[in-house]
Amino acid sequence: VASLVAPSICTSLGARATLFLGSLGYSVYVASLLLFHLGVVPSALVVAAGALNGVCAGLLWVANGVLLYTYAGVDGRGFLFGVFWVVFNLGAVVGGVLSFAENFEHTGAKASTSTFATFLSLMVLGALLTFALAPPGRVVRADGSAAPTQPPILLHAELVAMGALLVDRRTVALAPLFLFSNWFYAFQFTCFNARLFDARSQGLNNAVYWGMQMGGALLFGRWLDAASVAPRRRAFKALAALSALVALTWSLALWVAASYGLDGAATAQPTLDAIDDPGEWALPFAIYAGWGAIDAFLQTFSFWIIGQLDDDPRLLGRFTGVYRCLQSAGAAVSWALSTYSWGCDGACAGAVPPTAQAWVNVALGVASLPGALWLATTLGAEPRRCAPLADGDGSRDSSA
């Protein structure tokens, strides 16, 4: 919901201020986790902080999309997103290394207090650093052109335009892909990494997972920007590569889930350790690392193909809002499936066991292909445009 209203807030306050407000939610959430870890606050406060963080996340991600689409032209958006993804995931890599180091002598399931405090300090600093970003009006693109700036529009016109975009045929075509792009996190993090590995190995696994994202996004983003290859052909090749990687890693994951009995009682799950038992750790770790690269490819492709639909950053900001809305809706459902598939006594409740969750991910990945393939066929065949603005909103019609 926040993602759908974030474009109008971003237009009114500016992308940098919206980004700052969005980043504050993460600090509040980690602070609530720290206080809960210390036994100071009830779990309900953590849930409330999570809801606030969801609102702020909508602001952050839409402002991020507006800035990236503003800073780069059509032929440079894949690589710029890759650069952003490196910076973005550098935080996760550092977080994983910190978690591994902070918990090196602690092999239990819970992180130490200093882990939460360290993360909180870094997040507050990150929020303040948003003001170091250059205003879009002062940015010159790589091709020498000035980054576009636009005046605010009326709120009702913004909402009408967002409503039109929700039923746009391109939105419908990409909806399964957008849902899938965050759906798999719940299984990967809670059913796979958290249930197969001990605390220190989880930190190491996460550092590599996000490190693979950094390298994958840069390489994939650079390749998607290759002007010597037609956009349509680039899209087809990207989808073929993604399909092959998804099929390989999820097939192996289903085998691992069956081998280690992930559908059984939680207390019976193995705690694989990278130091004490590297042989058992290696294959599940390789699958998890591969998922990191696939996530980078998928996110970069989604950002890139949206950027091929229009040249107007404000309209692309709306599309980013729809993308994040559907992405978050998928994540909400998948986390619910992960949460309610385990009983209070640690035994599988039977409703949605991990293996079933894995198959849901596979099915959604397959369902993502037809719409994405159709949209790939339209690249270069239709003018770049999104849903037109409502008449009388004080700005140009995007179909002009």
Side-chain angles (χ1 to χ4, degrees):
V1 174
S3 296
L4 294 180
V5 300
S8 60
I9 296 175
C10 192
T11 300
S12 300
L13 300 181
R16 292 193 305 165
T18 305
L19 197 67
F20 172 71
L21 291 177
S23 63
L24 289 179
Y26 293 82
S27 301
V28 172
Y29 180 59
V30 172
S32 73
L33 289 174
L34 173 59
L35 294 174
F36 178 73
H37 179 76
L38 296 174
V40 177
V41 299
S43 59
L45 184 62
V46 179
V47 176
L52 174 63
N53 192 26
V55 174
C56 291
L59 300 179
L60 182 145
W61 281 103
V62 169
N64 163 77
V66 170
L67 285 170
L68 290 177
Y69 286 126
T70 300
Y71 289 162
V74 175
D75 294 328
R77 287 169 178 163
F79 181 69
L80 184 60
F81 182 85
V83 173
F84 153 70
W85 206 248
V86 168
V87 178
F88 170 60
N89 287 295
L90 181 61
V93 172
V94 171
V97 172
L98 285 173
S99 179
F100 179 64
E102 294 276 4
N103 298 284
F104 188 81
E105 301 297 334
H106 173 67
T107 58
K110 295 182 178 179
S112 63
T113 301
S114 59
T115 302
F116 291 105
T118 302
F119 278 39
L120 178 58
S121 300
L122 291 174
M123 287 181 172
V124 171
L125 175 62
L128 295 174
L129 283 174
T130 57
F131 292 107
L133 290 168
R138 293 171 51 190
V139 171
V140 178
R141 288 175 167 177
D143 60 3
S145 63
T149 57
Q150 295 176 322
I153 65 172
L154 298 177
L155 178 59
H156 82 274
E158 183 73 48
L159 295 176
V160 168
M162 285 296 297
L165 196 57
L166 284 173
V167 296
D168 188 286
R169 59 179 180 173
R170 290 160 297 178
T171 301
V172 175
L174 289 175
L177 181 69
F178 292 168
L179 287 170
F180 179 59
S181 63
N182 264 16
W183 191 290
F184 45 75
Y185 283 151
F187 177 85
Q188 292 174 3
F189 296 161
T190 64
C191 294
F192 199 84
N193 193 37
R195 302 195 67 80
L196 284 177
F197 305 94
D198 61 14
R200 65 180 180 183
S201 295
Q202 289 175 37
L204 178 62
N205 294 352
N206 283 331
V208 177
Y209 179 96
W210 299 112
M212 291 288 288
Q213 296 233 17
M214 294 166 67
L218 274 180
L219 292 174
F220 206 58
R222 176 66 78 182
W223 183 81
L224 284 171
D225 282 341
S228 59
V229 181
R232 187 184 308 179
R233 186 172 181 82
R234 279 178 266 167
F236 283 140
K237 287 185 174 182
L239 288 170
L242 278 169
S243 300
L245 290 171
V246 167
L248 174 63
T249 54
W250 283 94
S251 297
L252 290 173
L254 286 166
W255 180 81
V256 168
S259 299
Y260 288 105
L262 287 187
D263 289 349
T267 54
Q269 300 307 317
T271 52
L272 304 179
D273 187 84
I275 307 299
D276 296 337
D277 195 2
E280 288 289 321
W281 164 82
L283 178 59
F285 162 75
I287 296 170
Y288 192 69
W291 279 334
I294 292 171
D295 186 25
F297 293 169
L298 183 58
Q299 305 298 341
T300 306
F301 176 77
S302 298
F303 183 87
W304 174 82
I305 200 167
I306 289 174
Q308 300 302 305
L309 303 179
D310 204 285
D311 293 332
D312 187 333
R314 183 163 60 194
L315 295 175
L316 292 177
R318 290 196 197 108
F319 217 122
T320 302
V322 175
Y323 168 41
R324 294 299 175 182
C325 172
L326 294 173
Q327 190 179 60
S328 299
V333 175
S334 66
W335 282 109
L337 295 179
S338 179
T339 300
Y340 292 112
S341 57
W342 298 97
C344 296
D345 59 352
C348 179
V352 192
T355 300
Q357 293 183 54
W359 278 112
V360 170
N361 277 277
V362 172
L364 192 54
V366 173
S368 302
L369 283 175
L373 287 171
W374 169 80
L375 191 61
T377 64
T378 69
L379 297 183
E382 295 184 359
R384 291 191 180 96
R385 58 180 177 81
C386 284
L389 301 175
D391 293 336
D393 63 2
S395 62
R396 69 176 180 82
D397 187 327
S398 65
S399 63

